[in-house]
Amino acid sequence: MMAFGLIALIAGAASALMFASIVSGALISLVLFYLAPLPLMVAAIGWGPLCASVGGIAAAIGLGALFGLPYCIAFAVTVALPAWWLGHLVLLSRRVGPVTADGKIDPAAEPELEWYPVGRLLLWIAGFAALTTIAALLTLGTDADTIIGTLRRGLMRLLRSADPQTSGEAGQFVDAMVRIAPAAATLVAMMTLTLNLWLSAKVTATSGRLRRPWPDMMTAELPPMTLVGLCVALAFCFTGGLLAIVAQISAAALMMGYAFTGFAVLHTLTLALKSRTFWLGSTYIVVVIFGWPVIAMVILGMADAVFGFRERFMRTRQPPPLPTP
């Protein structure tokens, strides 16, 4: 029990220090800030969600005592809560296997576990990314005009500090940046949360504490109703006001989820290619360098959700049935 508490406190302290490092203003602190959930996620997956919750509560209280209530709330919402809940979902499973005549699972059969699907984990990550972005924007104001105005003034100050001779033409650039800032922040939150969860699972798997088999990432797919939710969010993007900002954030998170499934589709459809490594590597390099080609992955992920490309492809790769005697 003492070792459990010590691990929880160490994980919480590490996350709190990484989160608070943003106060220094150093460039490396931005990397540490985005990796702040990692220690708590490792604790959650390796030692259970209770370990992460104890460490997260202790870290939030410590940050609140040192820096004030806003830091405490921000850490709890953006770091501790996602780390605890995602770690819980990674370890979530249910027993499946042969059933008896009355429809119940046969207790004499060897137990088989069905683990929480990767696609649903992606949907939860999208939800947390949207939640943290909305919470961050609400600290700037409670209506769209105030939020946009605060963002615009902040960007203008950054431009003028970098170049005091900034002309009025920069205003158009700033306006464009302000419009895409909420969606861009959501994409960053989505990618960093996904990276943290993947790294934490790798760390626990390497140490031998991962209690579930490593999932097949090529089978990751979002729930069917996700596409309906994305269409609704896109429709509300054209309403205006705070509702439009929330809709843009939600749409960006869900589209990034489909981008991840798009990469899974690409990995599946290229299985028969001899130069598969080259094509996959080239795709990743182009997406990382230019950014905008990720739209193709979003479209591929959405198309697979509608037409089932992976299912059809895997069906064609299966050997033909043996002839009946």
Side-chain angles (χ1 to χ4, degrees):
M1 188 64 183
M2 184 174 292
F4 177 88
L6 185 62
I7 291 170
L9 292 177
I10 292 173
S15 285
L17 287 173
M18 294 167 75
F19 181 83
S21 66
I22 197 69
V23 178
S24 67
L27 186 60
I28 188 64
S29 66
L30 191 62
V31 178
L32 295 175
F33 175 80
Y34 282 121
L35 291 177
L38 181 59
L40 287 177
M41 283 185 179
V42 171
I45 298 174
W47 287 267
L50 180 60
C51 185
S53 62
V54 171
I57 292 172
I61 293 174
L63 285 172
L66 291 174
F67 300 103
L69 185 60
Y71 273 84
C72 172
I73 297 174
F75 178 84
V77 172
T78 63
V79 177
L81 180 61
W84 164 71
W85 185 245
L86 292 175
H88 164 71
L89 293 179
V90 166
L91 301 178
L92 195 62
S93 64
R94 63 182 179 184
R95 185 180 173 187
V96 295
V99 296
T100 58
D102 56 358
K104 297 182 179 179
I105 296 177
D106 185 5
E110 185 177 352
E112 297 180 9
L113 295 178
E114 181 183 9
W115 297 92
Y116 200 75
V118 176
R120 293 186 179 272
L121 280 172
L122 276 176
L123 188 60
W124 275 105
I125 292 173
F128 279 120
L131 173 66
T132 54
T133 305
I134 293 170
L137 289 180
L138 288 177
T139 62
L140 306 178
T142 55
D143 61 272
D145 292 337
T146 305
I147 292 172
I148 292 173
T150 305
L151 286 173
R152 192 179 192 283
R153 288 190 296 271
L155 286 174
M156 286 299 294
R157 279 197 299 268
L158 285 175
L159 285 177
R160 285 171 181 157
S161 63
D163 182 11
Q165 304 299 324
T166 300
S167 63
E169 297 178 357
Q172 296 179 351
F173 171 76
V174 170
D175 289 338
M177 292 296 295
V178 166
R179 294 297 177 183
I180 66 172
T186 308
L187 297 181
V188 172
M190 180 83 178
M191 289 187 292
T192 53
L193 266 179
T194 306
L195 176 64
N196 278 307
L197 187 61
W198 182 83
L199 285 175
S200 59
K202 277 294 184 182
V203 169
T204 50
T206 303
S207 62
R209 297 200 64 91
L210 185 62
R211 285 173 277 175
R212 66 171 288 173
W214 192 262
D216 184 4
M217 298 299 183
M218 290 193 298
T219 62
E221 59 180 359
L222 295 172
M225 288 303 293
T226 307
L227 194 57
V228 177
L230 176 58
C231 293
V232 172
L234 289 173
F236 278 107
C237 288
F238 300 96
T239 56
L242 187 60
L243 179 60
I245 295 177
V246 173
Q248 291 166 13
I249 291 171
S250 303
L254 293 178
M255 289 176 72
M256 195 62 197
Y258 276 113
F260 284 126
T261 60
F263 281 110
V265 175
L266 185 66
H267 276 260
T268 303
L269 299 183
T270 55
L271 284 173
L273 296 180
K274 293 182 179 179
S275 54
R276 179 171 181 259
T277 303
F278 169 77
W279 288 111
L280 289 177
S282 300
T283 303
Y284 280 106
I285 291 173
V286 169
V287 170
V288 170
I289 292 177
F290 297 102
W292 64 264
V294 76
I295 298 173
M297 294 297 103
V298 175
I299 295 173
L300 183 59
M302 294 172 64
D304 178 72
V306 176
F307 301 106
F309 291 148
R310 280 179 290 183
E311 183 181 353
R312 296 182 183 184
F313 177 80
M314 295 307 295
R315 197 183 304 134
T316 60
R317 286 178 59 85
Q318 293 177 354
L322 296 174
T324 55

